[in-house]
Amino acid sequence: MDMQKQPQPQPQPQSQPQTHSQAQHPEGCLVVAIRIPVRVFVFLVVLPIRLLWDALAAVARFLWRYLVVPVARFLWRYVLAPAGRAVAWLLHVLLVVPLTWLYRYLLTPLGHALAWLYARVLTPIGHAVLWVLTPVAKAVAWVFEQLATALYWIARVLLVLPVVALWRWILTPVGHVLGIVLRELRDALGHAWRAAGHVARAVGRVLGTLFRWIFVEPVRWLYRTVLTPVGHVVRDLVLRPAAQVARAVGRAVRQARADLRRALFGEPARPPAVDRREPVGRDTRTLDG
């Protein structure tokens, strides 16, 4: 059987996602007029602050890494940790143990006694008083309800409506303008801080390059080209011969001192030689004696 073809539904074109600029509300002349001078002024104010901040951050990182962290580790290991253990032991002995004893042997029996008093004495008395005062309580509740309704309407007319009008017609427009100014000031601070960071990094790179080319490279060249060969020459021509001469003079002085001692006091007495060899013949020692 021939089946009639049903018309296929046409695919609906997908809506293009709105970009960030389309999603935002159009900016008015007031926003543009406030934004440019605020950003320029904030950049000029923030730039020296950012330079000082980066310098202080570098000094702080150096001090933290090489001074604060080692000192803190030393203090924690050898001062704070032992002191903390001692304080914890004292607190356990002087506070936890007495409080545990007080809770177990005083507060717990007292609590059981108060619970029995509440359940057996105060609760029946309270039920009796409530049964006698119920009509009076209803009358007092009705009076308080009427008084509360009157106070509500008085406060609404004299306080709430003027505050709503003030909020709607004065504070809201002023707050809108202040919100625009504060938002632009916040954005200007963010842009100025980031731009000042780029400037600070560029200044740091320039100063580092100048320091390297003005100080480090000349010192390195002087050390490599002048001081090292001069040091080798001084070592080979001066220090080594001087050391050899000093050793020779020392040996001569020691020899002269020994000769003078022998001339004055004679040869020192030598200990008699001891024959450490095993005796031979009948005097030979054996394991038996």
Side-chain angles (χ1 to χ4, degrees):
M1 296 177 62
D2 294 335
M3 299 179 63
Q4 295 181 356
K5 295 182 178 181
Q6 299 292 334
Q8 298 293 331
Q10 297 295 329
Q12 297 294 331
Q14 296 181 356
S15 60
Q16 297 294 332
Q18 294 183 352
T19 62
H20 181 68
S21 60
Q22 294 176 352
Q24 292 181 347
H25 296 289
E27 298 177 346
C29 298
L30 177 62
V31 176
V32 177
I34 292 174
R35 175 178 299 170
I36 296 176
V38 167
R39 291 193 176 184
V40 172
F41 175 75
V42 170
F43 177 76
L44 295 178
V45 172
V46 168
L47 178 59
I49 298 175
R50 180 57 187 264
L51 293 175
L52 181 61
W53 176 265
D54 289 342
L56 292 177
V59 174
R61 286 194 297 269
F62 177 80
L63 293 177
W64 177 264
R65 178 176 298 176
Y66 297 104
L67 180 63
V68 176
V69 172
V71 172
R73 288 177 179 172
F74 176 81
L75 291 177
W76 173 259
R77 180 175 297 176
Y78 297 104
V79 178
L80 296 179
R85 288 191 291 268
V87 170
W89 181 80
L90 288 176
L91 289 177
H92 178 76
V93 172
L94 299 178
L95 187 63
V96 175
V97 173
L99 288 179
T100 303
W101 182 89
L102 181 65
Y103 174 78
R104 182 177 299 172
Y105 297 104
L106 182 62
L107 296 180
T108 300
L110 183 61
H112 290 314
L114 291 177
W116 180 85
L117 180 64
Y118 176 79
R120 302 297 180 181
V121 178
L122 297 180
T123 300
I125 294 175
H127 290 169
V129 172
L130 183 62
W131 180 77
V132 175
L133 294 176
T134 300
V136 178
K138 289 182 179 179
V140 172
W142 181 84
V143 171
F144 274 107
E145 182 180 359
Q146 299 301 321
L147 183 61
T149 303
L151 291 176
Y152 167 77
W153 284 105
I154 291 173
R156 181 178 178 85
V157 172
L158 297 180
L159 184 63
V160 175
L161 294 180
V163 170
V164 170
L166 178 65
W167 175 265
R168 181 174 299 174
W169 302 109
I170 296 177
L171 296 180
T172 300
V174 173
H176 180 68
V177 175
L178 289 177
I180 293 175
V181 173
L182 293 177
R183 185 186 64 191
E184 293 302 323
L185 183 61
R186 180 200 61 193
D187 296 340
L189 283 173
H191 288 291
W193 187 261
R194 288 189 293 271
H198 292 295
V199 174
R201 285 191 290 271
V203 171
R205 287 194 293 269
V206 171
L207 292 178
T209 303
L210 291 176
F211 179 76
R212 186 175 68 251
W213 287 105
I214 293 174
F215 182 75
V216 176
E217 292 298 333
V219 170
R220 183 182 298 173
W221 177 85
L222 180 65
Y223 175 79
R224 186 186 301 119
T225 309
V226 178
L227 297 181
T228 301
V230 171
H232 291 169
V233 171
V234 171
R235 182 192 62 189
D236 296 335
L237 298 181
V238 178
L239 297 180
R240 285 182 179 175
Q244 294 175 359
V245 170
R247 287 194 293 271
V249 170
R251 286 194 297 269
V253 170
R254 288 193 297 273
Q255 185 65 34
R257 189 168 53 192
D259 294 339
L260 181 61
R261 186 184 300 110
R262 282 194 299 270
L264 294 177
F265 303 104
E267 291 289 339
R270 296 181 179 180
V274 177
D275 191 4
R276 297 183 179 276
R277 295 177 298 175
E278 291 290 336
V280 295
R282 291 180 299 176
D283 296 334
T284 303
R285 292 183 298 177
T286 60
L287 295 177
D288 296 335

